[in-house]
């Protein structure tokens, strides 16, 4: 069989996930892994979810095992609408919300609805590697815009929009991979640039609830731009294995086409998980639960940056996030993080090299580190090992 002749052009153009590819190597018990984007298992409300599972089966019987509506459990959509209305002063109803199988499915649906081969997608440089993967299935043209400490560069965005762009994709809060957050002023400038453009703004916000320093900022598009989509998930605040995410838009026409795409994809997201999640949210204090997560993650982030200050060479720079799950390391010019990766594994530590987060660059001197899935002592030891490697590499130059 000649498999190459059977494959579609789109799958040939879609790269496998680098992170998924290295998780096997990083799962060695002798390896300290900062590679995966894994929430800390200590934050999973196991007992409460177990009680919710029993309660919904007892209360709703066969309904929790039957086919359901594409948009998702109405009660869960109402909860999401109410929460966003309260926090961000939006005017959402359940009809503005579609439950998705993780926010990753939402990215796939957006690609299917809006992108044909050669259509333009503006992304941050760097950006979430799985978004690049999802959009690549549609064979678009990527137009990367430099990500600064204030957010997406407005001047470069205006230049990128001179091209035939359909979608602008951004992660405004505690960006994956950098941990950076767009400032209030930057959001206003981006909003002003997009206001008169015929493009879809996608704000991906899996980490906004995990702010452990400062105040939450208004979104760029939600409630302000007519053609915008906001993505959210319960993977970082309740449990990632439930694969329960959602998309929000006030544009009903846009939601109609996304719903049609979801019908064609999976009919609906796992309804049993939706019932369990809704029951959990109704019978527990989500904000109190998130507060505990933030306290833990702040300690872990501090442990990592403190260890970097002790063990990293002075010419190595790193971000200091005020929330989320990641930070970003920039190496001296000429040092490739990809070439360092196998050497790091030999020392028993894993990270994600920066390459897969770029649509247009290779052999870059950047890396992503996750601080949420290791205790503080393990973080200290992992950064010490990585620091030794970096000192050897920089001193040899």
């Amino acid at each position: 069989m000649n498999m190459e002749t059977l494959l579609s052009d789109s799958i040939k153009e879609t790269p496998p996930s680098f992170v998924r590819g290295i998780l096997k190597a990083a799962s060695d018990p002798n390896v300290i892994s900062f590679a995966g984007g894994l929430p800390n298992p200590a934050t999973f409300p196991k007992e409460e979810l177990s009680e919710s599972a029993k309660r919904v089966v007892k209360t709703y019987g066969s309904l929790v095992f039957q086919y359901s509506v594409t948009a998702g459990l109405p009660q869960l959509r109402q909860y999401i609408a109410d929460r966003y209305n309260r926090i961000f002063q939006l005017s959402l109803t359940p009809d503005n919300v579609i439950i998705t199988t993780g926010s990753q499915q939402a990215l796939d649906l957006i690609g299917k609805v809006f992108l044909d081969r050669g259509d333009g997608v503006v992304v941050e440089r760097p950006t979430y590697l799985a978004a690049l993967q999802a959009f690549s299935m549609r064979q678009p043209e990527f137009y990367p815009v430099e990500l600064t400490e204030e957010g997406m560069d407005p001047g470069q965005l205006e230049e990128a929009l001179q091209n035939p762009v359909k979608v602008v994709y951004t992660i405004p809060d505690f960006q994956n991979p950098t941990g950076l957050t767009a400032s209030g002023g930057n959001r206003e400038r981006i909003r002003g640039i997009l206001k008169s453009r015929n493009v879809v703004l996608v704000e991906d916000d899996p980490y906004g609830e995990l702010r452990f320093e400062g105040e939450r900022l208004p979104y760029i598009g939600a409630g302000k731009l007519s053609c915008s989509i906001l993505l959210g998930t319960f993977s970082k605040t309740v449990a990632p294995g439930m694969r329960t995410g959602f998309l929000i838009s006030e544009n009903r026409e846009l939601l109609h086409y996304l719903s049609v795409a979801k019908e064609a994809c999976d009919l609906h997201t796992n309804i049993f998980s939706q019932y369990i999640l809704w029951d959990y949210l109704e019978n527990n204090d989500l904000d109190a639960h998130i507060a505990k997560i933030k306290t833990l993650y702040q300690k872990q982030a501090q442990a990592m940056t403190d260890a970097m200050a002790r063990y990293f060479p002075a010419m190595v720079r790193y971000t200091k996030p005020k929330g989320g799950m990641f930070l970003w390391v920039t190496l001296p010019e000429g040092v490739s993080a990809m070439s360092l990766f196998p050497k790091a594994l030999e020392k028993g530590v894993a990270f994600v090299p920066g390459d897969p987060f770029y649509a247009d660059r290779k052999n870059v001197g950047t890396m992503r580190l996750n601080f949420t899935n290791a205790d503080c002592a393990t973080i200290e030891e992992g950064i010490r090992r990585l620091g030794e490697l970096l000192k050897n590499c920089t001193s040899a130059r």
Side-chain angles (χ1 to χ4, degrees):
M1 176 185 292
N2 185 350
M3 182 61 68
E4 187 72 14
T5 63
L6 299 177
L7 296 176
S8 69
D9 290 341
S10 61
I11 196 64
K12 292 176 186 177
E13 295 292 325
T14 304
S17 169
F18 184 88
V19 174
R20 292 283 163 182
I22 67 174
L23 283 183
K24 183 176 181 180
S27 65
D28 184 324
N30 296 315
V31 173
I32 296 172
S33 179
F34 303 133
L38 303 178
N40 195 310
T43 67
F44 303 159
K46 297 183 288 292
E47 293 184 9
E48 293 88 346
L49 289 172
S50 177
E51 288 300 313
S52 287
K54 295 174 185 176
R55 190 159 44 238
V56 297
V57 172
K58 183 177 181 180
T59 304
Y60 299 101
S62 60
L63 280 178
V64 305
F65 303 115
Q66 185 56 280
Y67 286 118
S68 189
V69 296
T70 297
L73 186 68
Q75 299 97 309
L76 180 57
R77 289 155 52 212
Q78 181 71 65
Y79 178 93
I80 294 167
D82 290 344
R83 184 171 181 82
Y84 277 75
N85 290 343
R86 173 170 57 83
I87 296 174
F88 295 103
Q89 291 75 55
L90 301 178
S91 301
L92 305 174
T93 73
D95 291 337
N96 297 119
V97 181
I98 296 177
I99 305 298
T100 58
T101 305
S103 54
Q104 185 66 28
Q105 184 189 47
L107 294 172
D108 179 62
L109 297 178
I110 288 164
K112 288 175 178 175
V113 169
F114 295 107
L115 299 177
D116 290 316
R117 184 187 182 100
D119 286 339
V121 181
V122 169
V123 294
E124 293 158 338
R125 182 196 286 128
T127 192
Y128 177 43
L129 59 85
L132 292 175
Q133 187 181 38
F135 294 148
S136 290
M137 287 292 293
R138 313 310 303 170
Q139 301 175 274
E141 187 73 31
F142 289 109
Y143 297 101
V145 170
E146 205 67 41
L147 183 68
T148 73
E149 291 193 1
E150 294 295 308
M152 188 182 291
D153 183 275
Q156 287 191 22
L157 175 61
E158 289 191 290
E159 290 180 18
L161 290 172
Q162 301 305 308
N163 298 289
V165 169
K166 282 189 174 180
V167 174
V168 174
Y169 173 74
T170 182
I171 309 168
D173 293 290
F174 317 118
Q175 196 245 18
N176 184 353
T178 65
L180 294 171
T181 294
S183 69
N186 177 269
R187 294 174 195 229
E188 290 180 11
R189 288 190 289 275
I190 300 302
R191 186 184 308 126
I193 292 169
L194 296 178
K195 196 167 186 178
S196 60
R197 309 274 183 169
N198 187 34
V199 297
V200 178
L201 172 66
V202 179
E203 291 181 272
D204 194 356
D205 186 32
Y207 313 108
E209 297 268 25
L210 303 180
R211 176 180 283 277
F212 45 70
E213 185 179 330
E215 299 294 326
R216 292 197 75 173
L217 297 171
Y219 290 112
I220 300 168
K224 300 177 181 70
L225 297 178
S226 61
C227 202
S228 69
I229 303 170
L230 175 62
L231 308 185
T233 181
F234 291 101
S235 290
K236 310 302 186 292
T237 54
V238 182
M242 298 182 80
R243 307 307 302 127
T244 308
F246 50 92
L247 60 83
I248 293 171
S249 181
E250 294 177 277
N251 188 315
R252 297 295 179 88
E253 183 179 14
L254 186 155
L255 285 172
H256 164 73
Y257 289 111
L258 289 166
S259 182
V260 170
K262 182 166 172 62
E263 287 174 8
C265 178
D266 68 354
L267 301 184
H268 64 80
T269 293
N270 185 319
I271 193 63
F272 187 31
S273 287
Q274 291 185 60
Y275 266 104
I276 294 171
L277 178 59
W278 170 65
D279 184 272
Y280 166 79
L281 295 169
E282 287 293 307
N283 289 283
N284 295 275
D285 186 339
L286 180 63
D287 290 322
H289 175 67
I290 292 174
K292 294 177 182 177
I293 297 175
K294 292 191 291 187
T295 297
L296 174 62
Y297 288 1
Q298 184 172 29
K299 290 179 181 176
Q300 292 170 299
Q302 190 68 50
M304 183 167 280
T305 54
D306 286 351
M308 287 174 165
R310 283 192 292 273
Y311 300 119
F312 277 15
M315 67 280 290
V316 174
R317 294 180 289 114
Y318 47 90
T319 58
K320 296 181 180 180
K322 298 179 180 179
M325 298 171 56
F326 306 104
L327 56 78
W328 189 240
V329 177
T330 302
L331 305 174
E333 189 171 349
V335 179
S336 166
M338 191 67 80
S339 67
L340 289 181
F341 178 74
K343 298 175 184 177
L345 277 184
E346 291 177 4
K347 284 188 170 287
V349 62
F351 57 84
V352 184
D355 286 36
F357 299 101
Y358 294 89
D360 61 344
R361 292 181 179 174
K362 298 295 180 186
N363 292 316
V364 294
T366 52
M367 63 176 74
R368 187 192 77 176
L369 301 183
N370 166 255
F371 54 78
T372 61
N373 195 40
D375 61 51
C376 292
T378 303
I379 289 171
E380 169 94 8
E381 175 60 20
I383 295 300
R384 186 192 66 77
R385 296 180 192 179
L386 192 53
E388 284 184 1
L389 175 62
L390 294 175
K391 285 177 182 176
N392 291 337
C393 292
T394 54
S395 63
R397 295 178 70 242

